[in-house]
Amino acid sequence: MYKSNRQQFYSQIEQFWADLYDEEYALYDLYEVTEDEVEKIRLATERTGKIYFKIAHLLRNVPDEILLEMGYPEQTLHFLRLKILEAESVIARFDFIPYNDSYKCIEINADTPTFIKELFFVNERICHAFAMENPNAKMEQLLKDMVRKSVAQSKPSQKAHIVFTAHEQNIEDYYTTLYLMQFIPGAKFTPLHQLQIQNGVGLFDEDGKQIDVLYRQTFPIENVIQDEDEAQNPIGLWLLELVEQNLLIIINPPSAFLLQNKAVQAVIWGLHEESNVFFSAEEHEWISEYFLPTYLEENPFIEKGLHFVKKPVFGREGNTVEIYDKSGQLIKEDVQKSYNQYIKVYQQYIEQPKVTFQSEKGEQVGEMLIGSFLISGKPGAIGLRVGGMITNNLSYYLPIGIKRTI
């Protein structure tokens, strides 16, 4: 019954990936939340966002040596200091774990977050199917407004050529990009492999038309800089140089990559631990409530006898993440090690709450992680991933709803 109901429901949603890697991804189930919980998550998102946006101003002005110690690639240092848009990131997503009647931020994906169409579009429809209120009502309008505002701030003229791009073969990236592109009349899609670059001149689409604004929602900067063409020209670095030379504008902006680095959280925690006046007394309270101790070494946790997580400063979907016990013994690791080349941060480990849910494999119990979007500094849609101790790309999407009051 579950399987047929699920298939019938998701077959009605066009351009969506209810299954990923030949496995169930989007569940036909719903986790009930209260209005109070939703408001607390939104408040945590807004306050945590203010802390991150404030630290961006500081990081743009520190010496290169500090940025290198934090693990930023040397080729990006000039790019990192650019301030192009009003918001440091147009679409960012925090990952929160419920903790002591509040929420702890374990990281931000400020540069290329996914989970967008699920929360801003699909959740509304599944709430309707389950006769529940959608906690993300009106959030799609916020998303549309802020995406349009970011493009309007970016384009050099009314006739600007706006292109959205993604790996066409990756269904999640492709459909996420098409979903966002519908908000911008006149924009076009060009697959990543069809973009053409002329060093010091510009970026062009497959028809040879120069691109003014490139919306690259799912193409991370740490991947961009490694791009080479068949002649081994460093076309990724050329693209960053076009941005630096004001020959191309990209969204998310350079400042989103500045905040993507997980060592930023170690900087925030370090300033907090020393009661630095960079943060106000109120902001120190926010950091104490919403942030976890995070360092560039493991010693503080070994000394205090605390479990901790080791993760690369750039990395996604739990890849290369390791969990250690209080004596420093490895107890859990992700099998994928794609980001081992980056320096690591060490963060206090806290348990994720367990939740029971229905799936094609029957009733399951998984660990819950809250995704909460920050849209140009404003709290956006929220939702759940459920899976193992390390949330990875095989974790499920579990929709959320509020029980209707009559």
Side-chain angles (χ1 to χ4, degrees), residues 266 269 273 292-310 324-328 345-350:
W269 190 258
E273 271 198 325
L292 285 165
T294 307
Y295 305 96
L296 294 178
E297 58 178 1
E298 62 191 22
N299 291 350
F301 301 112
I302 303 289
E303 290 167 4
K304 293 175 183 173
L306 295 171
H307 285 58
F308 62 92
V309 180
K310 176 184 176 183
Y324 292 80
D325 68 15
K326 59 186 178 182
S327 61
V345 296
Y346 301 82
Q347 185 179 73
Q348 183 181 337
Y349 170 77
I350 58 171

Side-chain angles (χ1 to χ4, degrees), residues 330-347:
L330 180 67
I331 55 175
K332 185 75 176 177
E333 63 181 321
D334 192 76
V335 292
Q336 297 187 73
K337 304 289 180 186
S338 312
Y339 300 102
N340 246 340
Q341 70 270 33
Y342 297 112
I343 72 165
K344 309 300 188 292
V345 296
Y346 301 82
Q347 185 179 73

Side-chain angles (χ1 to χ4, degrees), residues 84-340:
I84 289 173
L85 290 179
E86 191 180 304
E88 304 290 356
S89 172
V90 180
I91 303 177
R93 192 197 73 238
F94 288 113
D95 289 337
F96 287 113
I97 295 176
Y99 186 78
N100 285 355
D101 202 34
S102 187
Y103 299 90
K104 291 291 187 182
C105 169
I106 61 168
E107 61 189 51
I108 184 176
N109 189 334
D111 191 41
T112 56
T114 51
F115 210 30
I116 297 169
K117 188 167 184 176
E118 296 95 310
L119 306 195
F120 287 90
F121 183 82
V122 176
N123 206 79
E124 169 79 34
R125 282 140 190 84
I126 201 154
C127 281
H128 180 75
F130 279 74
M132 301 279 269
E133 295 287 348
N134 178 23
N136 299 328
K138 301 179 183 174
M139 289 301 160
E140 188 178 45
Q141 186 62 49
L142 171 70
L143 180 66
K144 181 190 295 186
D145 291 346
M146 292 301 112
V147 168
R148 285 182 171 174
K149 183 180 178 182
S150 69
V151 170
Q153 284 180 356
S154 303
K155 61 184 186 182
S157 71
Q158 287 303 311
K159 295 181 179 178
H161 186 36
I162 301 153
V163 169
F164 284 66
T165 192
H167 285 290
E168 202 174 20
Q169 314 92 313
N170 185 311
I171 189 171
E172 182 182 10
D173 289 2
Y174 178 50
Y175 285 154
T176 295
T177 301
L178 293 185
Y179 171 65
L180 293 172
M181 190 176 78
Q182 68 175 330
F183 300 146
I184 306 297
K188 73 169 288 189
F189 178 82
T190 296
L192 269 167
H193 71 278
Q194 290 187 12
L195 294 174
Q196 303 163 31
I197 191 164
Q198 293 182 30
N199 189 17
V201 178
L203 185 69
F204 301 83
D205 66 16
E206 68 271 41
D207 300 320
K209 186 174 180 181
Q210 186 161 1
I211 298 166
D212 297 301
V213 180
L214 182 71
Y215 210 115
R216 42 127 214 142
Q217 180 61 42
T218 60
F219 193 30
I221 294 298
E222 70 266 25
N223 293 357
V224 172
I225 63 173
Q226 296 172 19
D227 252 21
E228 294 182 344
D229 64 12
E230 291 173 358
Q232 295 188 314
N233 290 310
I235 55 176
L237 295 178
W238 289 358
L239 188 136
L240 264 59
E241 288 167 5
L242 290 179
V243 177
E244 293 165 17
Q245 295 159 3
N246 209 24
L247 294 169
L248 176 71
I249 290 172
I250 60 169
I251 304 173
N252 266 326
S255 49
F257 179 64
L258 180 69
L259 295 180
Q260 177 72 26
N261 186 325
K262 295 179 181 67
V264 173
Q265 214 158 334
V267 173
I268 291 169
W269 190 258
L271 292 171
H272 171 62
E273 271 198 325
E274 64 183 34
S275 302
N276 196 292
V277 294
F278 177 76
F279 292 119
S280 69
E282 184 180 39
E283 287 166 342
H284 276 293
E285 288 178 9
W286 295 349
I287 296 167
S288 178
E289 180 170 358
Y290 299 120
F291 284 74
L292 285 165
T294 307
Y295 305 96
L296 294 178
E297 58 178 1
E298 62 191 22
N299 291 350
F301 301 112
I302 303 289
E303 290 167 4
K304 293 175 183 173
L306 295 171
H307 285 58
F308 62 92
V309 180
K310 176 184 176 183
K311 46 191 176 181
V313 293
F314 295 109
R316 289 148 207 282
E317 298 282 8
N319 192 316
T320 322
V321 170
E322 299 172 352
I323 301 173
Y324 292 80
D325 68 15
K326 59 186 178 182
S327 61
Q329 295 296 308
L330 180 67
I331 55 175
K332 185 75 176 177
E333 63 181 321
D334 192 76
V335 292
Q336 297 187 73
K337 304 289 180 186
S338 312
Y339 300 102
N340 246 340

Side-chain angles (χ1 to χ4, degrees), residues 5-13 28 122 125-126 129:
N5 287 343
R6 177 180 177 270
Q7 288 177 344
Q8 183 180 5
F9 173 78
Y10 283 113
S11 66
Q12 299 168 35
I13 300 178
Y28 188 66
V122 176
R125 282 140 190 84
I126 201 154

